């Protein structure tokens, strides 16, 4: 008898003499079936939560004034998309927030990787600067929004600065730790073969840290959006954060939830794109392993 296990996919038992191609095909079917089950459960949970929310609102189990309802949220999104908001076009407000988040995300990610790899490779410099990095990292990011707005104004720079700070420390910490966790045997072998410090960093250290870096990028875009929205809360003329602030001031629960749903959709799309890019750039990583017993 043979057992085939692909990660946490349930084992498949085969009779003696089963060919390798049949085993592999069965394993792929098991993996595909598991993905379908996961997707079905995800959709089912979403539908159940939305249906319960709508039912609770209709039957007044919850107060619609505070919690709104899915139907009202959908109607508000449709109204914003067709007729615009009190602050102009929905798409322009969305673009303002995305512009702030994207600039902060790319600048924070690139800087975080460079600084993380550099300090990870230089233990003396990292020891000297570690106390300052810890001190700055201990400051709650949100409280920096008024400072940035006071210094940089109500425009784009202050929101980008806050998004940058939100992203930088997440990416920096993972890049730094990824460099420290690099395989010392591979580094030693590269040096024995005559690799320079730059070649070791480029060919051994950075690829080794890529998993850590991409793990941080998956969450850092959400932090970039948080930074942009918090900055818009404190002071802005346009943006999704401004729409949420106006809805809050007018007790418009549907408007607040509609803006939040819009941010969630954009973040999920960004996560999908990030996963696709990671899979393209990390083709060297092995696919789901198949263990035959």
């Amino acid at each position: 008898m043979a057992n085939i296990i692909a990660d946490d996919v349930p084992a498949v038992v085969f009779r003696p003499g089963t060919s390798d191609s049949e085993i592999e095909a069965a394993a792929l079917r098991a993996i595909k079936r598991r993905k379908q089950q996961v997707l079905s459960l995800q959709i089912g949970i979403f539908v159940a939560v939305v249906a319960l929310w709508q039912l609770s609102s209709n039957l007044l189990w919850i107060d619609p004034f505070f919690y709104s309802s899915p139907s009202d949220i959908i109607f508000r999104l449709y109204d914003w998309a067709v007729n615009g908001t009190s602050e102009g076009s929905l798409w322009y407000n969305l673009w303002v927030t995305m512009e702030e988040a994207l600039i902060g995300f790319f600048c924070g990610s690139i800087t975080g990787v460079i600084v993380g790899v550099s300090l990870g490779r230089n233990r003396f410099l990292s020891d000297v600067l570690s106390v300052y990095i810890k001190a700055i990292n201990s400051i709650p990011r949100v409280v920096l929004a008024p400072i940035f707005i006071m210094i940089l104004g109500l425009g784009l720079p202050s929101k980008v600065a806050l998004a940058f700070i939100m992203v930088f420390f997440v990416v920096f910490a993972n890049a730094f730790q990824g460099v420290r966790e690099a395989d010392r045997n591979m580094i030693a072998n590269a040096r024995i073969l005559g690799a320079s410090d730059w070649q070791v960093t480029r060919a051994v250290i950075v690829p080794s840290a890529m998993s850590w870096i991409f793990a941080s990028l998956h969450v850092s875009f959400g932090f970039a959006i948080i930074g942009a929205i918090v900055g818009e809360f404190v002071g802005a003329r346009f943006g999704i954060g401004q729409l949420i602030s106006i809805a809050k001031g007018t007790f418009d629960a549907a408007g607040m939830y509609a803006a939040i749903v819009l941010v969630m959709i954009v973040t999920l799309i960004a996560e999908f794109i990030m996963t696709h890019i990671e899979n393209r750039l990390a083709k060297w990583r092995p696919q789901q392993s198949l263990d035959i017993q």
Side-chain angles (χ1 to χ4, degrees):
M1 305 291 283
N3 292 338
I4 182 167
I5 304 174
D7 293 338
D8 56 348
V9 177
V12 182
V13 181
F14 297 91
R15 297 179 180 277
T18 305
S19 66
D20 291 343
S21 60
E22 292 175 332
I23 293 176
E24 184 176 359
L28 293 176
R29 287 196 299 270
I31 294 173
K32 182 179 180 180
R33 183 165 58 251
R34 181 185 181 279
K35 290 181 178 179
Q36 292 174 342
Q37 291 173 347
V38 169
L39 180 61
S40 299
L41 285 174
Q42 289 174 336
I43 295 175
I45 292 173
F46 174 77
V47 171
V49 170
V50 171
L52 180 60
W53 185 1
Q54 183 67 50
L55 181 64
S56 300
S57 179
N58 292 342
L59 298 180
L60 298 181
W61 295 346
I62 59 176
D63 191 342
F65 181 80
F66 295 106
Y67 298 100
S68 188
S69 67
S71 59
D72 288 340
I73 294 170
I74 293 174
F75 176 78
R76 183 56 51 83
L77 285 172
Y78 175 80
D79 181 57
W80 279 354
V82 174
N83 302 318
T85 70
S86 60
E87 300 301 312
S89 168
L90 171 64
W91 311 116
Y92 178 75
N93 282 276
L94 179 61
W95 165 246
V96 169
T97 301
M98 289 301 103
E99 182 183 21
E100 297 161 352
L102 286 171
I103 295 175
F105 171 75
F106 284 114
C107 293
S109 298
I110 294 171
T111 307
V113 170
I114 293 174
V115 176
V117 172
S118 300
L119 291 185
R121 294 285 288 141
N122 192 325
R123 186 174 294 273
F124 176 76
L125 188 60
S126 66
D127 290 341
V128 172
L129 298 178
S130 62
V131 62
Y132 300 104
I133 294 173
K134 292 177 182 178
I136 297 174
N137 192 34
S138 66
I139 301 174
R141 313 290 188 272
V142 176
V143 303
L144 296 175
I147 298 176
F148 288 147
I149 289 178
M150 182 176 63
I151 297 173
L152 302 174
L154 295 174
L156 179 68
S158 58
K159 315 305 185 300
V160 170
L162 188 58
F164 172 90
I165 289 295
M166 298 286 287
V167 171
F168 170 79
F169 282 100
V170 177
V171 178
F172 163 77
N174 277 38
F176 180 84
Q177 190 62 34
V179 170
R180 290 296 180 88
E181 296 291 335
D183 192 334
R184 299 302 165 187
N185 293 327
M186 292 183 63
I187 296 175
N189 291 337
R191 292 196 180 280
I192 291 173
L193 294 173
S196 63
D197 287 342
W198 167 245
Q199 289 173 326
V200 170
T201 300
R202 180 177 58 84
V204 179
I205 300 295
V206 173
S208 177
M210 285 301 291
S211 296
W212 291 78
I213 293 172
F214 272 113
S216 65
L217 294 180
H218 280 290
V219 299
S220 59
F221 184 77
F223 283 121
I225 293 181
I226 291 173
I229 290 178
V230 168
E232 292 168 353
F233 257 105
V234 176
R237 182 67 180 82
F238 299 101
I240 300 300
Q242 177 69 0
L243 295 182
I244 297 176
S245 180
I246 292 174
K248 177 199 67 174
T250 57
F251 294 95
D252 181 11
M256 287 191 293
Y257 288 117
I260 293 172
V261 168
L262 193 61
V263 171
M264 290 172 58
I265 293 173
V266 171
T267 305
L268 289 176
I269 293 173
E271 166 69 16
F272 174 80
I273 295 173
M274 193 73 64
T275 301
H276 179 72
I277 294 174
E278 179 183 5
N279 293 335
R280 292 292 299 272
L281 295 180
K283 290 183 178 180
W284 52 269
R285 292 190 309 185
Q287 299 297 320
Q288 287 182 310
S289 59
L290 301 179
D291 298 327
I292 302 174
Q293 301 176 349

